[in-house]
Amino acid sequence: MLVSIIVPCYNEAAVLPLFLDAVRETAAELTASYGCTWEYLFVDDGSRDGTLAFLREAAKEDSQVRYLSFSRNFGKEAAMYAGLQRARGEYVVLMDADLQHPPALLGEMYAALESGEYDCAAARRQSRKGEPPIRSFFARGFYRLINRISDTEIVDGACDYRMMRRKMVEAVLSLREVNRFSKGIFSWVGFRTKWIPYENVERAAGETKWSFWGLVLYSVQGIVGFSTVPLALAAVLGILICGVSFVVILYIIAKTLLFGDPVGGWPSMACMVMFMGGVQLFFIGILGEYLAKTYLEVKRRPIYVLAEEGGEPEAS
Ligand code: UDP
Ligand code: MG
């Protein structure tokens, strides 16, 4: 039984040696108890530090190590996709390079899949300890919102760290969208998933690639990718405002008929015009967001561009 471990790496030279040591140790234990074999598939996502150099060396020394290298930074989603495409194992693991995904969970994941009861075992962060409170606040809000407006369940705290059976990998790969939002994709394809709770760990070395703004854009991508409710919102609000204006019109007609028509009321007029302008621009923006995503999808650009591939050549 071959297990592939896919590791997206972007500027992770500082942590990769630690990562390999830690994972190898756990893998050796599992090999001892289950007899499975391993391949490590690193995806260098256009790193600018020594990541690629390290991977070349590692692949030379260890036949279990393979790597892909992108021509530039395409993002973690693209890196995971490329890894899933090339992984050869019957079981496939997705794992961050920074050791925030504890290798110790691999045993439990493997056992879950071996039992035949599950097709996927995924880690789930139990708490948001160690995260800036403002980030937790927005993250919670995001999960509440997206689960209300999307049919696909997006599990709070679910990470990309998971072990999947081959048939689930094939299903994930069959979703060929360019705007990839894994949390949604994994849930969309279904399959029986075992959630393994774990406590958040600080990254072992190097630094996070996520800025607050980056997370905001990512959440917008998630909403646009897995819900069309925002598009319907304009219609709902439109009907509401029509209703309100109808009442106001009746009121103004009645007032004019009863008390004549004294000139005045331009401030309220200006407020209404500005309010409606704002509402309309907001919804044009939402429309634009979906249009832009559609535009990017129909171009059918590849999800990544490979610059280099190394390690043991593809067996075929
Ligand atoms: N990563 C990547 N491409 C990117 C950003 C990140 O491949 O453009 C990888 C990164 O090397 C790491 C994983 O994705 O292995 C998670 O990144 P990070 O630790 O920065 O995110 P966080 O854990 O803070 O969510
Ligand atoms: Mg991390």
Side-chain angles (χ1 to χ4, degrees):
M1 175 75 77
L2 178 67
V3 186
S4 305
I5 299 187
I6 299 168
V7 191
C9 315
Y10 179 49
N11 295 342
E12 301 286 11
V15 80
L16 276 178
L18 304 174
F19 173 84
L20 252 181
D21 286 346
V23 176
R24 273 195 187 122
E25 197 174 311
T26 316
E29 281 165 25
L30 287 172
T31 304
S33 41
Y34 295 101
C36 48
T37 51
W38 303 81
E39 74 168 355
Y40 305 99
L41 179 49
F42 292 92
V43 185
D44 164 37
D45 185 13
S47 302
R48 293 163 190 283
D49 63 353
T51 301
L52 182 56
F54 174 83
L55 294 179
R56 285 194 189 118
E57 275 311 303
K60 228 181 271 172
E61 282 164 20
D62 183 348
S63 63
Q64 288 182 323
V65 173
R66 291 160 66 205
Y67 67 89
L68 309 170
S69 183
F70 288 175
S71 59
R72 64 169 170 85
N73 181 246
F74 279 90
K76 185 186 177 190
E77 295 285 345
M80 291 194 292
Y81 185 76
L84 290 175
Q85 275 186 325
R86 316 256 159 167
R88 288 179 257 174
E90 178 57 30
Y91 294 168
V92 178
V93 180
L94 285 168
M95 205 170 174
D96 281 3
D98 55 8
L99 286 174
Q100 276 187 309
H101 294 163
L105 297 186
L106 284 174
E108 203 175 327
M109 290 181 172
Y110 191 89
L113 263 64
E114 271 304 82
S115 75
E117 224 175 300
Y118 299 99
D119 301 308
C120 172
R124 180 175 185 177
R125 226 165 35 159
Q126 249 177 336
S127 68
R128 297 189 163 273
K129 244 184 0 213
E131 196 182 62
I134 176 110
R135 192 164 147 176
S136 304
F137 174 77
F138 279 107
R140 291 229 170 77
F142 166 73
Y143 284 108
R144 260 207 305 278
L145 174 70
I146 195 161
N147 280 318
R148 184 159 295 177
I149 63 177
S150 169
D151 296 336
T152 310
E153 196 199 357
I154 314 284
V155 181
D156 190 359
C159 16
D160 298 330
Y161 182 26
R162 55 184 64 223
M163 187 183 284
M164 293 176 277
R165 215 180 278 284
R166 171 110 322 250
K167 61 180 175 190
M168 180 162 172
V169 173
E170 298 302 334
V172 168
L173 287 173
S174 72
L175 270 72
R176 303 238 346 115
E177 60 221 68
V178 178
N179 293 287
R180 302 188 75 77
F181 183 70
S182 284
K183 281 183 203 305
I185 291 176
F186 290 138
S187 159
W188 189 92
V189 298
F191 293 106
R192 295 158 302 169
T193 300
K194 176 173 187 177
W195 294 106
I196 301 175
Y198 81 105
E199 279 300 329
N200 197 18
V201 221
E202 293 290 316
R203 72 170 20 246
E207 50 196 63
T208 177
K209 314 298 177 301
W210 288 104
S211 62
F212 185 74
W213 188 237
L215 284 171
V216 171
L217 293 180
Y218 188 59
S219 53
V220 169
Q221 174 141 333
I223 291 172
V224 173
F226 283 90
S227 173
T228 51
V229 168
L231 286 174
L233 230 55
V236 174
L237 198 67
I239 291 172
L240 267 176
I241 293 181
C242 280
V244 171
S245 38
F246 188 67
V247 173
V248 173
I249 288 168
L250 287 183
Y251 166 74
I252 288 174
I253 291 176
K255 200 174 111 185
T256 311
L257 289 179
L258 291 177
F259 303 107
D261 182 19
V263 177
W266 76 264
S268 53
M269 178 79 83
C271 289
M272 276 188 288
V273 169
M274 283 203 294
F275 174 70
M276 280 317 298
V279 168
Q280 284 173 349
L281 280 181
F282 178 64
F283 282 106
I284 291 174
I286 290 185
L287 217 63
E289 200 55 44
Y290 281 88
L291 184 66
K293 293 287 189 256
T294 313
Y295 176 58
L296 292 173
E297 293 291 345
V298 293
K299 284 208 241 191
R300 279 266 152 253
R301 284 185 182 162
I303 293 170
Y304 60 88
V305 176
L306 218 53
E308 189 181 323
E309 189 172 358
E312 192 203 330
E314 198 91 35
S316 63

